[in-house]
Amino acid sequence: MRIRVGHLYPDYLNIYADRGNIAVLAERARARGHELDVRAIGMREEVPAGEIDLFYVGGGQDREQALVAQDLVAKAASLHSAVENGAAFLAVCGGYQLLGRSYKDVAGKELPGIGLLPLVTVAGQRRMIGDVLLDCEWAGETLAGFENHAGRTILDEGAEPLGRVLSGFGNDGASGYEGCRYKRVYGTYLHGPLLPRNPWFADRVLADALAHAGGPTDLEPLADDLERVAHEVSAERARSRGGRF
Ligand code: GLN
């Protein structure tokens, strides 16, 4: 199968090499005989809604977020319709914040979001930095990663988080939850090596994209020896020195 990926603003939102996640998806797809067809969707470019199986947006600082926010709002209707029609979406940190309804930065300036996820974010004075370990009960798995954000993300009542925080800060350092899930959309603060360290999650995102593409969603298991070690090292780091105020 050809899995069509729409990478939003790769030139602006790619902090901590978030685009590495795409390389993992490409490799894991290839190992199962599928091909990832990645196209960039930049400023003022139209979202080819029906033609994308998986959208991806990385993180960025307030400055980059401010540069893309209005443009993303112009793409909101197409993105909403793509998601309602079953497209998958993975959004990291700054991109995750912009999928909510709004993001207010430390200076009090409010950026509009696209309301694809039921949440708002307000920046606080202290950054939340460190290793994170999450329990994703919905999948019976854990996610290990690294967070660095000033934004406190508040989920609406009844919204589904991505996971429960075992170590680290998560959405706001208080609720005990991290990230948000809606249909095939996943938003998270976990950066850069999110998918390399969490192969089950990479396969989940791939299977969601394949479901939209109309392909077989059962992915034969890969060896994942290195990936398991990477996960364990990262999880242990979070357990021993996860983010603390
Ligand atoms: N500007 C956001 C924050 O600090 C996002 C940062 C990021 O993507 N690392 O909350």
Side-chain angles (χ1 to χ4, degrees):
M1 292 287 301
R2 242 173 88 240
I3 304 169
R4 301 156 303 174
V5 176
H7 188 172
L8 287 153
Y9 313 114
D11 302 335
Y12 291 88
L13 299 176
N14 178 41
I15 204 165
Y16 301 121
D18 284 332
R19 76 174 82 207
N21 287 322
I22 303 268
V24 170
L25 292 172
E27 184 53 28
R28 299 185 73 84
R30 196 199 51 78
R32 275 72 167 242
H34 303 304
E35 188 196 335
L36 219 61
D37 169 6
V38 185
R39 44 187 119 158
I41 306 175
M43 294 286 213
R44 292 175 294 279
E45 280 174 7
E46 248 176 65
V47 174
E51 295 168 28
I52 301 290
D53 304 309
L54 167 66
F55 290 93
Y56 180 73
V57 62
Q61 294 303 337
D62 292 10
R63 187 179 156 275
E64 286 81 33
Q65 286 176 282
L67 290 172
V68 304
Q70 283 302 341
D71 190 85
L72 189 62
V73 168
K75 294 174 167 57
S78 316
L79 293 171
H80 276 267
S81 103
V83 163
E84 293 309 316
N85 286 315
F89 205 139
L90 176 60
V92 176
C93 202
Y96 165 45
Q97 294 173 342
L98 292 179
L99 292 201
R101 288 190 297 276
S102 59
Y103 171 61
K104 195 187 274 185
D105 71 16
V106 247
K109 184 169 172 267
E110 189 162 303
L111 295 177
I114 60 169
L116 200 56
L117 290 175
L119 55 90
V120 294
T121 303
V122 178
Q125 290 302 326
R126 298 168 75 166
R127 297 193 71 81
M128 299 190 271
I129 306 174
D131 295 284
V132 197
L133 185 62
L134 307 180
D135 181 11
C136 301
E137 276 163 24
W138 57 275
E141 299 278 0
T142 58
L143 274 175
F146 180 80
E147 63 184 326
N148 181 357
H149 53 108
R152 273 76 173 150
T153 293
I154 311 296
L155 302 186
D156 287 357
E157 187 81 33
E160 290 273 359
L162 180 60
R164 197 166 53 78
V165 177
L166 297 173
S167 300
F169 295 103
N171 278 335
D172 59 354
S175 66
Y177 290 109
E178 204 287 321
C180 187
R181 287 191 299 134
Y182 168 73
K183 296 200 171 190
R184 292 181 179 138
V185 184
Y186 307 90
T188 180
Y189 277 110
L190 273 50
H191 268 297
L194 168 65
L195 298 185
R197 288 171 182 175
N198 299 288
W200 73 266
F201 188 52
D203 281 355
R204 171 74 190 212
V205 172
L206 267 185
D208 282 350
L210 278 163
H212 182 264
T217 58
D218 48 327
L219 296 166
E220 94 208 29
L222 302 178
D224 285 338
D225 298 337
L226 274 175
E227 288 80 353
R228 260 194 294 277
V229 175
H231 180 276
E232 203 29 58
V233 168
S234 179
E236 192 44 44
R237 217 185 283 149
R239 283 187 206 102
S240 62
R241 49 159 212 160
R244 309 234 184 295
F245 283 123

